[in-house]
Amino acid sequence: MRQRFKRYPNVSLLLASILCACIAHSVVLYRMFDRGTLFTGKGDGIAQMLPFQMYLYNKFSHLHFFYDMDFGIGGDFLKSLSYYYSTSPITYLNFICIYIGDIFLSYDVTDPVFWAKNQIFISIIKLSLIFFVTYKFLRYMNINRYAAFTGSFIYGWSTVYYFFTFTWSFFSDVMLWLPMTIFGLERLFRERKPLLFIIAVALTLHANFYFSYYEFIFVSVYFLYRSIFSKDDDLLRLKDKLITGSISGILALMVSSVGFFTGATSYLMNDRTLPPIKLNPIIDMVGFYNLFYDGYYVVISAVAVIALA
């Protein structure tokens, strides 16, 4: 058995990642199996994330992908929900697995409880992939395997991951795309292999416009740093890095054009301009306001006293 694992190191690493992900979710799993308690973030987690997944699965499983009259008073739900799940590759894979499983096991996909349980299952799979990719990247950076696994575990098993996953579950996807992108960039510079970089950037651009924006800032800084300060084992020099990196980025944008265009146009068309609001210099003391225990007034009063001091 040990020799078999040595022959297939990626398999043993993936199994170890799944085991660690289950351990990281042990409290959540215990509460679910022992007490029947399902954990999800308050507010958006219940009010938006679960209903959006239910809605999109219902549409996608019936081959409806764009406009529908039951979305508000009629609208393009693919574009409007691109902030959330409609362009997420992980959501696509999740829906495919649910659809296949529903054929044989007959899931009740109309029950919000099913989607709350599914969120925990997907979180375990996602965290396993985060451990796996981050470990491979750290090992590629010549970090010993114990430190690499510890680093990947600390990175994945963090309060940020749980906060994102159980409040806005799609937000934690970027914790997978980011190390994958940096890993691909290092392989591009050191081995002239752009494929992983193109795939990682394409997945990020397709997944979510917000992710693309924030990751672009971080990766751009890293790209410029690594372009200027080369390492001894880099096969590409400054000019080649700039040309090859730019071409790879353009190819990734072309591959992800459908998802990226959907998310970008959704952002540009999202008009949140506030209507003209008239503020009175003195707030009316109406019945549902109380100066002594209403949180808003307590904060304003404290800030005003500090500012005047």
Side-chain angles (χ1 to χ4, degrees):
M1 182 68 69
R2 184 175 300 176
Q3 292 180 350
R4 185 174 299 176
F5 283 152
K6 290 182 178 179
R7 290 176 57 187
Y8 304 101
N10 288 334
V11 174
S12 59
L13 175 60
L14 183 60
L15 292 175
S17 299
I18 294 174
L19 176 61
C20 289
C22 291
I23 294 173
H25 287 81
S26 58
V27 175
V28 178
L29 293 173
Y30 171 78
R31 293 178 64 185
M32 181 178 69
F33 289 112
D34 183 69
R35 305 178 186 177
T37 302
L38 293 173
F39 179 77
T40 189
K42 66 177 182 178
D44 288 350
I46 298 175
Q48 292 185 336
M49 302 305 109
L50 298 183
F52 285 164
Q53 292 180 70
M54 294 172 58
Y55 180 85
L56 287 172
Y57 177 79
N58 178 58
K59 295 303 176 185
F60 289 170
S61 62
H62 290 86
L63 302 181
H64 297 165
F65 298 102
F66 300 102
Y67 188 90
D68 206 298
M69 287 298 298
D70 66 359
F71 187 72
I73 57 175
D76 185 350
F77 61 86
L78 184 73
K79 180 179 293 185
S80 298
L81 296 182
S82 62
Y83 290 94
Y84 304 99
Y85 300 98
S86 66
T87 57
S88 169
I90 292 180
T91 298
Y92 294 162
L93 293 176
N94 183 25
F95 285 175
I96 291 173
C97 293
I98 292 174
Y99 185 81
I100 295 174
D102 190 31
I103 297 176
F104 300 98
L105 302 176
S106 298
Y107 299 137
D108 185 7
V109 294
T110 62
D111 185 2
V113 174
F114 167 81
W115 291 99
K117 293 179 179 179
N118 174 71
Q119 183 170 268
I120 297 174
F121 172 77
I122 293 301
S123 178
I124 294 174
I125 299 300
K126 190 192 305 183
L127 187 57
S128 301
L129 295 176
I130 291 173
F131 288 154
F132 181 88
V133 172
T134 307
Y135 175 86
K136 297 288 287 186
F137 166 62
L138 294 177
R139 287 291 291 153
Y140 189 81
M141 300 298 289
N142 298 320
I143 298 176
N144 71 73
R145 59 180 181 175
Y146 299 108
F149 197 83
T150 302
S152 65
F153 195 74
I154 293 174
Y155 170 74
W157 193 12
S158 63
T159 55
V160 174
Y161 176 79
Y162 289 104
F163 176 69
F164 282 163
T165 297
F166 291 105
T167 305
W168 312 282
S169 57
F170 62 93
F171 258 48
S172 58
D173 294 2
V174 74
M175 295 185 66
L176 174 61
W177 309 137
L178 181 59
M180 187 184 298
T181 303
I182 301 299
F183 189 11
L185 190 61
E186 287 292 337
R187 289 192 55 172
L188 173 63
F189 289 168
R190 298 186 184 195
E191 303 179 46
R192 295 180 184 267
K193 295 181 178 179
L195 182 59
L196 180 60
F197 179 69
I198 294 173
I199 293 174
V201 173
L203 288 171
T204 306
L205 292 175
H206 193 286
N208 191 287
F209 179 74
Y210 285 157
F211 297 167
S212 307
Y213 172 73
Y214 288 112
E215 187 171 310
F216 174 78
I217 296 174
F218 180 86
V219 175
S220 296
V221 174
Y222 188 87
F223 177 82
L224 292 175
Y225 171 79
R226 284 289 284 111
S227 297
I228 297 173
F229 300 98
S230 299
K231 294 187 177 181
D232 295 336
D233 53 355
D234 286 354
L235 295 181
L236 298 179
R237 296 310 167 193
L238 178 59
K239 182 179 178 180
D240 298 326
K241 289 177 180 178
L242 295 175
I243 294 175
T244 308
S246 299
I247 294 175
S248 300
I250 293 173
L251 290 175
L253 178 61
M254 295 171 64
V255 171
S256 64
S257 57
V258 174
F260 180 78
F261 176 79
T262 301
T265 54
S266 177
Y267 170 77
L268 294 174
M269 296 174 63
N270 184 22
D271 184 8
R272 296 190 178 185
T273 303
L274 294 176
I277 300 176
K278 182 180 179 181
L279 297 178
N280 297 324
I282 300 177
I283 300 177
D284 298 331
M285 297 302 293
V286 294
F288 53 88
Y289 289 148
N290 190 295
L291 180 62
F292 297 101
Y293 62 76
D294 190 278
Y296 175 79
Y297 288 97
V298 171
V299 173
I300 293 297
S301 301
V303 171
V305 171
I306 294 173
L308 293 173

